[in-house]
Amino acid sequence: MNSLLYLCILLCFTSFSVSRDAVEETHPIYVSLALVDHNPQEETLDISLKMFTDDLQAAIRKHAKRDDLYVGYEKEIPAVDSIIHRYVNDQVQFLPNNVTEPQTMSYLGKEIELDVTWCYFRIADVSDLKQLTTHCELFTELFPSQTTIMHVKRKGKEKSMLFKRGKTFQNVIFSDD
């Protein structure tokens, strides 16, 4: 089931994409992909977010109240990475193992592939992952139909969550059986 869902999302990111020269145009679907991997050796949660670049650009412009922000273009200014970091930390929060406060994600960087941007984050001091409560409102302030699919991996097991407007809190529990 997860493989089929992942394939559908992959097709959406490739089949319905927009050229990087057409930033002001919109695409027919609003979906992002989040991959969360527990790394027991490093005691971290490693988070990769795959987002349409034009959606990310629109969101950070609105968040920072600045029209001069570009993602992945010659016009990109150095402040873009710190604005992405703040925006994503405001929109996506992780509470591993019943902690009461969201854990701040460190921003590791980004990669741009045609019309999508991969952003990489890390949460430290997660020695084991038994439960993960997540709040995700990524791009929902801009697009009513925005969906984020999140896959969480721990010790070879994967669980998935689906976020959209009105369904912004999800929880996964891992057992060792």
Side-chain angles (χ1 to χ4, degrees), residues 4-106:
L4 182 60
L5 182 61
Y6 185 73
L7 180 61
C8 289
I9 295 305
L10 184 62
L11 289 173
C12 289
F13 271 109
T14 56
S15 300
F16 297 108
S17 60
V18 181
S19 74
R20 296 228 341 110
D21 296 329
V23 167
E24 299 306 318
E25 294 179 20
T26 60
H27 43 83
I29 62 165
Y30 295 96
V31 65
S32 298
L33 177 65
L35 306 174
V36 180
D37 290 311
H38 179 250
N39 183 333
Q41 291 79 24
E42 298 289 326
E43 298 186 349
T44 59
L45 288 181
D46 297 326
I47 301 140
S48 303
L49 293 173
K50 186 176 186 180
M51 305 166 280
F52 283 109
T53 303
D54 58 334
D55 295 350
L56 177 61
Q57 183 171 283
I60 65 169
R61 284 178 173 186
K62 181 175 182 176
H63 189 72
K65 298 178 177 79
R66 293 179 59 172
D67 289 332
D68 66 335
L69 300 175
Y70 297 90
V71 177
Y73 291 89
E74 291 179 11
K75 297 178 188 178
E76 182 177 313
I77 59 175
V80 164
D81 284 329
S82 65
I83 294 168
I84 290 171
H85 182 212
R86 280 193 309 271
Y87 172 75
V88 172
N89 267 289
D90 286 348
Q91 299 300 310
V92 183
Q93 288 95 39
F94 293 97
L95 293 98
N97 303 322
N98 295 318
V99 298
T100 56
E101 293 293 320
Q103 304 299 290
T104 301
M105 292 182 283
S106 300

